Structures are given as C-alpha cells and as structure tokens.
Amino acid sequence: MTRTPPAWTEPLLHRLGTARAEDFTQLTTPEQGGRESAVLVLLGEQPAAGPDLLVLQRAATLRNHAGQPAFPGGAADPADTDAPATALREANEEVDLDPSSVTVLAELPRLWIPVSDFVVTPVLAWWHAPHPVHPREPAEVAHVARLPIAELVDPENRLRVRHPSGWIGPAFSARGMLVWGFTAGVIATLLEMGGWARPWPRDRVIDLPPVGAAPAPSAGTDEVDEMAGPLT
C-alpha cells in the first residue's frame, strides 16, 4: 500500500495547517509545566468499512482512566526524540502496532488535561500498511477497535454525556464502545475539520456510566453546567 495518504484526507490536512489549540479546547495550555505526552490518531481504511480510526479501551481494573476508550499513547520517555516517537512507541507497547506501518502526517496543537496535568500532543498518522493489532498487556488494555468514520458521523451514534461533576461533553457510541472525554473531543473536532461531520441531535444527553468515570474536559466543545463550575 502506498505511503501517500488518500485524497479523502486532504481537506483535513489542509485545515490542520492553521489549527490552534483553541480549535480543540477552551483551556489554555500552560507555557511551562505539565507532563509531556503524545497520542496516536491513526487513520486507516478497510475495503468494506471505509476510513477508520484506531481506538483502544483501557482495562476496567486500572487505577486511573479505568474502562475509558482512548487513542494509543502515553507519557514521553527521555529517549523519545519527539512527540511522534512517543506516540509510536506507546502504540507498539499497548497494541503491538508496527511503527514502520505508519506514516506520520501532522502534529496537532498541544492540549492540556488539567485533571492529570498532562500536556498531550495528538499525532495524526496514516496507516499505510495495516496489520492485526491486539492488547499486549490485557491488564492495561482490554480491547482494540477500528472505528469506521461512517459510524462515527452517523447521527444515531452521536450524543453527549454528563459527568457527575456536571461536565458535559461530546461522545460516540460505536462498535460497542462509548467514546467520551479527551478522545471524543479530538475526534469531534477532526470530523468537523475534515468536512465529514453530519448534523446530529445535540439535545441527546445521557449520564456517564460510573465505571471508570473521570473528568477530562480538555478537548472539543465541552461545557460545564452552571451549577457545577469549571473543572480543575
């Protein structure tokens, strides 16, 4: 398969050329401090399902972010040369992704997650040579899925979730996964930037299931109920 990304990625890549952190979040990324990290936003394509995104689900037994869907990724190591190196290393460690199968396309703006004080660089990439992936450490990763863009933009699969704190943010229901928080916020913004989003009922709001719930209003068009106050 060619390393050149397909034509359907061009509108997104063009828009990302002028992207700012403000396009993804209402929170200001601190100039100093915060733990540097990166996640891999991996675009692929399958003959039957079309374009897709690789997402994993954290194990329900983890102390932090239990049961949450997420992009592969994590904290930077001293040996990592840059954000793509961090994202690819973490993806290999988490889901056995072969870094040589991936072409890095762009680094998104650095985004701050205040609840964990991580400063995250999402790394957009094209999976030019897709291969089977799986959780390498089931105690950390429970499930790996390729979520078709067609299902993510389907109005029937879009909703918002309300955290017990009062925070409300975008979410997706696809392939048996409820994707919310930071990951859903980044996805929602990318769908808009790529011109793929479709109108959906924004009054569809559900309470977040309690298992693994953790406030992460760090990306997307997140809102906070007036009585809840901002999350810190």
Side-chain angles (χ1 to χ4, degrees):
M1 180 176 290
T2 177
R3 292 174 177 265
T4 303
W8 55 262
T9 65
E10 292 177 2
L12 173 61
L13 294 175
H14 178 75
R15 175 63 181 84
L16 285 175
T18 58
R20 305 172 302 161
E22 292 81 0
D23 295 321
F24 291 85
T25 179
Q26 299 175 5
L27 301 173
T28 301
T29 302
E31 295 183 3
Q32 296 181 342
R35 189 175 182 187
E36 292 291 336
S37 63
V39 296
L40 186 66
V41 184
L42 186 57
L43 291 169
E45 189 168 14
Q46 300 184 79
D52 59 28
L53 276 170
L54 184 70
V55 176
L56 59 83
Q57 188 158 18
R58 304 288 182 196
T61 54
L62 290 177
R63 179 184 303 178
N64 297 317
H65 308 298
Q68 267 191 261
F71 298 119
D77 278 355
D80 294 337
T81 56
D82 52 21
T86 297
L88 290 171
R89 174 185 55 76
E90 285 283 338
N92 174 260
E93 294 175 358
E94 291 180 328
V95 303
D96 206 21
L97 179 77
D98 179 1
S100 68
S101 71
V102 172
T103 299
V104 172
L105 301 177
E107 293 183 33
L108 278 59
R110 297 163 70 247
L111 306 173
W112 181 44
I113 302 180
V115 69
S116 59
D117 198 30
F118 274 87
V119 176
V120 184
T121 300
V123 177
L124 185 72
W126 164 241
W127 204 0
H128 64 261
H131 60 86
V133 290
H134 61 93
R136 290 189 65 174
E137 295 291 341
E140 297 182 4
V141 177
H143 180 60
V144 186
R146 297 179 66 172
L147 304 183
I149 298 295
E151 294 184 18
L152 293 172
V153 301
D154 187 337
E156 293 297 318
N157 295 333
R158 297 205 63 174
L159 66 157
R160 297 194 297 161
V161 294
R162 179 188 296 108
H163 189 271
S165 65
W167 169 81
I168 299 176
F172 300 85
S173 178
R175 300 292 167 111
M177 300 176 70
L178 178 64
V179 183
W180 63 282
F182 176 89
T183 304
V186 171
I187 291 174
T189 301
L190 293 179
L191 295 179
E192 293 288 344
M193 289 184 169
W196 307 322
R198 297 166 54 189
W200 56 281
R202 296 175 184 268
D203 59 350
R204 182 187 295 151
V205 181
I206 67 167
D207 291 331
L208 184 68
V211 177
S218 52
T221 53
D222 299 339
E223 300 177 6
V224 178
D225 286 353
E226 292 181 358
M227 298 300 294
L231 295 174
T232 57

